[in-house]
Amino acid sequence: EAAEVAEAASCLAEDLCSSEDDGFEDLVHEDNCVLVSGDESPLLAALSVGGSTSGGAATDATDGPSIHLTVKSSAGDTLELLVAPTITGAELKRKVAASWEIPPSCQSLMVGAWVMGESDSLCVFCRPGATASTALVLISLDIVLQDLRKDQTLNKRVNALAVLGRLNNRGNDQAVAAVCDCLCDTEEDVRHQALRALHSLAAPGDTRAVTVVCSQLVRAEPAHRVTAIRVLCNVADVGCERALVALCARLEDISVDVRREAVQALGKIATKGDECNVRRICVMEAYARLAALDALRKVALRGDEYAIRCVSSRLEDPVADVR
C-alpha cells in the first residue's frame, strides 16, 4: 500500500511541476515525499508515506462538502465564503469580483505562499480534510493600464477606465497618472470616462489631478464641464486657489447647469469667511439662487452684513423654494 501511495505522489508531483503558472516549480522528490524548497508544502501531509496520513486521506480535501474560505484584500477588507473544495481560481475570482467589484483580470490570488492559477482547485493548496482556509487578493493594474494605450481601440480604452473607476484604489500614483493622460485623448468618450475614474482614484489635494481637471473646465461640452466641476470638488482641498480661480470663471459660463454647479462647488471649496467669494455667490442670477443660498450658508461668516442683505432680499422672491 505504501508503494502505491508513493507512486501516486510521484505522478501528482510530475503533474504539478509541468504546469506553467501553478507556482510549484520548486517541487522535488525526496524519500518518497514531495517537498518544496523553502516553506513547507501544504501537500506534504497528504503525500508523505512515512507519516500517519493514510492513502485515503489524500482525497478528503477533494471530496469534502465545503471549505470556509476567508478572502482578504491588501487593503484589509475581508470576505467570508463557503465554497466547494474543487472551486477553481477563475471561479473564485468571479466571486470576489461580484462582492468587491474588482475585475478578475486585476486579481492575483495567493493561498499560503502559492499563486492560485486560473485552473487550479482550492483543495490542492489545503491539507487533507481541511474545512477552512485563507486566501489573499492582490490587485494588479498591469493588464488594465495596457488597455489605456492610444493604439488600443476606443472601446478598450473606455472599458479600462471604467474598470479603474470601480477599483476605487484611491491614491495609486500609477493609475492617477495614466488616467490624467487620458484627459488629453481626442475622443470625448475617453475624456469623460477618465474624469469619472479620476473621481474614484485621486486623493484629495493631488495637485496634478487638480491641474488637469481645471483644464477640463474649458472643454466645449457642457456636460463634461459639469462632471469636471464635480470631480474638482472631490480632489481639491478647501481653499485651493487654483480650483477657486477656475470655478469663479465658470460663474459666467454660457451654460446654466455649469453656473449652478460652479456656485455649489464654491460652497464646498471656498474658505469660510472668504469675502471675495461671498460677493460672487450673492450676485448669482435667478436660476442659481437656490444653489447660491446653500453656498452662502457654508461660506459666509455669521454676522456678514453683505450676505445678510442679499439673503433678506430673497424673502420676497417670486419662487417659493427660494423664499
Side-chain angles (χ1 to χ4, degrees), residues 139-205:
I139 298 176
S140 173
L141 299 179
D142 292 344
I143 295 177
V144 180
L145 294 180
Q146 288 174 10
D147 286 345
L148 292 182
R149 297 198 312 263
K150 291 184 178 180
D151 59 347
Q152 299 290 353
T153 64
L154 172 61
N155 284 340
K156 268 198 171 184
R157 301 204 303 279
V158 171
N159 289 338
L161 288 165
V163 167
L164 287 174
R166 289 198 301 272
L167 286 178
N168 199 25
N169 193 12
R170 193 174 297 281
N172 186 301
D173 292 338
Q174 186 183 16
V176 170
V179 172
C180 286
D181 289 341
C182 289
L183 287 172
C184 299
D185 199 280
T186 55
E187 296 287 347
E188 179 184 345
D189 290 344
V190 173
R191 295 195 302 271
H192 197 68
Q193 194 64 55
L195 275 178
R196 293 176 179 274
L198 202 59
H199 187 276
S200 301
L201 291 172

Side-chain angles (χ1 to χ4, degrees), residues 36-87:
V36 174
S37 56
D39 296 332
E40 179 183 345
S41 167
L43 297 173
L44 183 59
L47 299 176
S48 174
V49 297
S52 59
T53 304
S54 66
T59 62
D60 287 349
T62 302
D63 298 333
S66 61
I67 292 180
H68 181 196
L69 183 64
T70 301
V71 182
K72 298 181 178 180
S73 74
S74 54
D77 298 319
T78 301
L79 177 64
E80 305 290 342
L81 297 172
L82 195 63
V83 299
T86 54
I87 188 171

